Amino acid sequence: MNRTQVSIGPKDVRRNYLLMMIDSIGFPLGISFLSFTTILPMFLRQLTASDVLVGLIPAINNLGVFLPQIIIAPMISRLRVTKYYVVTVGMFERGPILLLAIAAWIWGGSNKPLVLWLFFLFFAIHSLSMGLNMPAYYSLLSKALPSERRGSLFGVGGCIGGILGVLGATMAGRVLSSYPFPIGYVFCFTIGFIILTISVMPLAMVREYAQEVQTNKTTLEALRELPSVLRKDKIFLNFILSQILWAIGAMAQAFFTVYAINRLSASASDVAVFTGITMGGGALANLVIGYIADRDGHKIILEATAILGALASFAPLISPTIPAMWLTFALTAIWAAGYGVSSGNIILDFAPTEDVPKYVGLVSILTVPFRTLTPILAGLMIARWGYYPVFAASGISMLLAWAILRRGVPEPRRFRATGLQPQARSCSERSLP
């Protein structure tokens, strides 16, 4: 096929940057109206008293987001243009939020068991769609913006979106306090759906440049190549072990809000404050963490945030009060921001250019069982022994993750002499679809 050779000029970069910034800002703002760590657990608490079912929120989310990535990656690599796929799947991802709002409105007051089952169905579809979309989104990002603009896209976008998310969380708290169940949640889910839908649509207008087909391998062939990575790279094996412990350490996060409600009598306004702290802390942390990671590497970020994650779990043990929960949510926000910035980017520092998909897929497929099962196990532990053993186990696991990173994983930028970054073609070698 003949292609017209064009170059990405400053006008194209500015256009793409602004279009993708809308989604970067709109996503955290929209999510503030259906926070996975505060609002959704509180909504589920209106439907069931089971902590095991509350633990399914992160379990389903992790399974849906991480498992499909290695399966869908070979197909994504065969797409010359990805923006239409991203927007189509993104709209499908947002649809279940609206359906949940409708279900809560119709049956929330009369048939809570039905709404409970529909919640998990719609949430599973939402999470699975996110997992199917993430490889395509990063493919689009790699072609739409040069590498030196991507960090600020997430840092600035996350900061602005987080600040707006604080306002959104405040508004959500007022709505939930002002309207009886389920009307307050109907409003929150509907507002979140509208914001998330508006924010994803501009991605269809991104000036994307066609890529060559990267691989013709089937998914099964790609999976068969994964074990060879562990045999060749023992340091990366240590990194994966730290990520498994990290996943176990994250199991307490889903229960912080429920603990505050059940044991500390937290109100809807308190939960809104928790959400605001989470959004605001994450917004500020993103800017600082991005700068440090660019300067000093991602390993130091993961080490520091592992310590903060441990402290977040230990805080309720030391002081079972609402102010202690403010600290817990603030530390969790920084922990989550650090993990979001560095957990994926450090893999690119480990992997030779040609093996990046293998390394990413290997981390995903080996950690997803722990991401999925540990929140369920935590719910069972809470039902039998209460919250404190779960918080203690999470904190200890985070400390173990830190120890492995500290002692068994050198900074990859220092010991990888070559092959650190994917060798991107110059913009002039790419053509418009």
Side-chain angles (χ1 to χ4, degrees), residues 157-349:
C159 181
I160 297 174
I163 293 172
L164 293 176
V166 174
L167 300 177
T170 302
M171 179 179 175
R174 291 180 179 176
V175 168
L176 294 176
S177 299
S178 301
Y179 295 92
F181 181 86
I183 302 303
Y185 291 98
V186 172
F187 284 141
C188 285
F189 297 159
T190 303
I191 294 170
F193 164 79
I194 292 172
I195 295 173
L196 291 171
T197 300
I198 292 174
S199 70
V200 77
M201 293 174 67
L203 296 180
M205 297 183 286
V206 166
R207 195 81 180 274
E208 180 186 4
Y209 290 85
Q211 67 177 4
E212 299 289 347
V213 174
Q214 298 298 309
T215 181
N216 289 317
K217 294 178 181 178
T218 66
T219 298
L220 184 60
E221 289 172 335
L223 289 173
R224 286 174 176 169
E225 294 179 350
L226 296 182
S228 64
V229 176
L230 294 181
R231 291 194 294 268
K232 296 177 182 177
D233 197 334
K234 300 303 182 182
I235 291 176
F236 191 64
L237 174 60
N238 288 339
F239 170 74
I240 292 178
L241 291 176
S242 76
Q243 295 303 284
I244 290 174
L245 288 166
W246 195 295
I248 296 172
M251 67 180 174
Q253 183 181 2
F255 299 96
F256 289 147
T257 298
V258 178
Y259 162 78
I261 294 172
N262 289 345
R263 294 295 179 86
L264 306 179
S265 300
S267 65
S269 297
D270 290 322
V271 173
V273 172
F274 297 157
T275 305
I277 291 173
T278 301
M279 301 300 297
L284 296 177
N286 268 312
L287 289 178
V288 177
I289 288 170
Y291 170 75
I292 296 175
D294 285 344
R295 187 188 66 183
D296 299 322
H298 295 284
K299 175 178 177 278
I300 190 173
I301 297 298
L302 294 178
E303 287 182 8
T305 51
I307 295 294
L308 295 180
L311 293 176
S313 293
F314 290 146
L317 302 178
I318 298 171
S319 177
T321 62
I322 293 295
M325 296 308 298
W326 298 343
L327 177 61
T328 288
F329 281 101
L331 294 173
T332 300
I334 302 172
W335 162 81
Y339 189 79
V341 169
S342 295
S343 63
N345 283 318
I346 196 174
I347 299 174
L348 301 182
D349 293 337

Side-chain angles (χ1 to χ4, degrees), residues 37-57:
T37 58
T38 55
I39 291 178
L40 289 188
M42 190 165 65
F43 173 72
L44 213 57
R45 230 26 186 146
Q46 300 286 336
L47 304 175
T48 178
S50 172
D51 288 315
V52 176
L53 292 181
V54 173
L56 286 177
I57 294 176

Side-chain angles (χ1 to χ4, degrees), residues 2 7 25 118 211:
N2 294 328
S7 61
I25 294 172
L118 289 176
Q211 67 177 4

